[in-house]
Amino acid sequence: MAVLSETDRQRIWRGIMRYWSQLFESTDFSVAELRAAVDATDNWIDGNQGSFNTALPDPFKTNATQAQKTLLFCVTAAMRVSPAFARQLIGEVD
Amino acid sequence: MASGDTLAIFTPYNNEPPSSNYATLDTRNQHPILDFDATTDEEAVFKGIMPQSYAGTTGVTVYIHYAMSTANGSVYVVWQAAFERVSDSVQDIDSDGFEAFNSTGQVAVPGTLGHVDVASIAFTDGSDMDSVVAGDGFRLKIRRDADGTSADDDATGDAELWAVEIRET
């Protein structure tokens, strides 16, 4: 899987600012610095997807689709933001 | 009238938004505000009548009262404003006739989230403010120059317009 398109990176960039604006969440960095962080995050995911796959145990590693593995990664990361945020992605998280 | 006197005050509910790329009405702790995006230029438009007391000599200064929804570091926001004279047989309101924008340049955002800052833009009397004189109808367009055309606006998140004052310079 390649890195995200420029359009999709811009979607993340704009979207996350709107999200923080809605929460009135403090951000001590500029729009350009945030954009660089979006690029770096996507580049890191692209460069480390093989390592992530290797870390997964069988039979999940062998049998899960790429989309399922990506969702697992996203929801686990989302839980590190908050259960409420993870709930927005997949519904109830008990 | 004397320099420094208030000529007009506009609040978010006075906004007559353009058809696209308009600032969005929102509230913050029950304060009505207009949200201006961080990456796309957005605008608000306010209509008024220039008071008869306007002397028409030293021009006006537009004061933009705003807060930031997220940014509180060493970053800058850029505001712009433009006048359109809508006087007796002067402007066909089927189209817009705004004069060119004047800009604040870079304005440092408040250091504390939620604090209101006041940015100002001066207009000389005459064509700079589309030749609006006492008694003329006019529109004032406020824009956040989010794409940094006139100066680098590097503040994250929305800029929240709280009020606008026009004062005789």
Side-chain angles (χ1 to χ4, degrees):
Chain A
M1 184 180 284
V3 297
L4 294 174
S5 66
E6 172 67 16
T7 299
D8 284 345
R9 286 183 171 189
Q10 285 187 359
R11 284 172 170 162
I12 296 171
W13 178 50
R14 293 195 182 100
I16 203 165
M17 279 194 282
R18 291 200 184 96
Y19 183 77
W20 284 331
S21 289
Q22 169 196 337
L23 299 177
F24 305 122
E25 185 165 314
S26 173
T27 57
D28 191 0
F29 43 77
S30 71
V31 285
E33 290 162 348
L34 173 62
R35 178 53 207 267
V38 171
D39 292 351
T41 301
D42 187 40
N43 289 339
W44 184 88
I45 291 172
D46 187 59
N48 290 277
Q49 56 186 312
S51 175
F52 170 60
N53 190 56
T54 302
L56 294 172
D58 272 324
F60 184 90
K61 175 168 59 180
T62 302
N63 295 341
T65 65
Q66 187 176 49
Q68 288 169 335
K69 292 173 184 175
T70 302
L71 183 67
L72 171 67
F73 182 91
C74 291
V75 175
T76 306
M79 187 61 82
R80 289 169 179 264
V81 177
S82 69
F85 188 71
R87 194 172 287 123
Q88 291 180 36
L89 294 182
I90 59 169
E92 186 53 68
V93 285
D94 304 298
Chain B
M1 205 168 189
S3 171
D5 286 342
T6 297
L7 298 170
I9 294 172
F10 302 114
T11 62
Y13 284 142
N14 297 132
N15 179 30
E16 299 176 356
S19 58
S20 62
N21 292 336
Y22 44 82
T24 310
L25 187 64
D26 195 3
T27 58
R28 182 170 188 171
N29 190 32
Q30 307 310 310
H31 292 265
I33 52 175
L34 291 171
D35 287 340
F36 289 74
D37 191 80
T39 58
T40 302
D41 286 3
E42 291 183 338
E43 298 172 339
V45 178
F46 302 98
K47 175 194 293 179
I49 304 290
M50 186 60 72
Q52 297 293 343
S53 54
Y54 173 56
T57 54
T58 53
V60 300
T61 302
V62 174
Y63 291 85
I64 299 168
H65 300 236
Y66 73 97
M68 301 301 294
S69 62
T70 71
N72 70 335
S74 299
V75 291
Y76 301 89
V77 66
V78 179
W79 293 100
Q80 294 181 300
F83 279 91
E84 176 196 58
R85 184 186 185 198
V86 189
S87 185
D88 189 3
S89 299
V90 167
Q91 177 65 41
D92 180 351
I93 62 170
D94 281 333
S95 60
D96 293 343
F98 286 95
E99 189 55 56
F101 279 102
N102 285 8
S103 172
T104 57
Q106 285 190 313
V107 178
V109 304
T112 301
L113 205 57
H115 280 197
V116 172
D117 184 39
V118 183
S120 65
I121 306 175
F123 290 82
T124 58
D125 187 59
S127 61
D128 196 29
M129 48 188 287
D130 206 19
S131 302
V132 175
V133 298
D136 278 350
F138 71 90
R139 291 195 299 171
L140 174 67
K141 182 180 281 186
I142 303 292
R143 169 193 283 175
R144 180 182 179 186
D145 188 9
D147 64 0
T149 303
S150 63
D152 185 21
D153 181 326
D154 62 355
T156 57
D158 292 337
E160 306 164 338
L161 187 141
W162 189 83
V164 176
E165 178 193 13
I166 301 177
R167 204 183 295 175
E168 189 158 341
T169 302

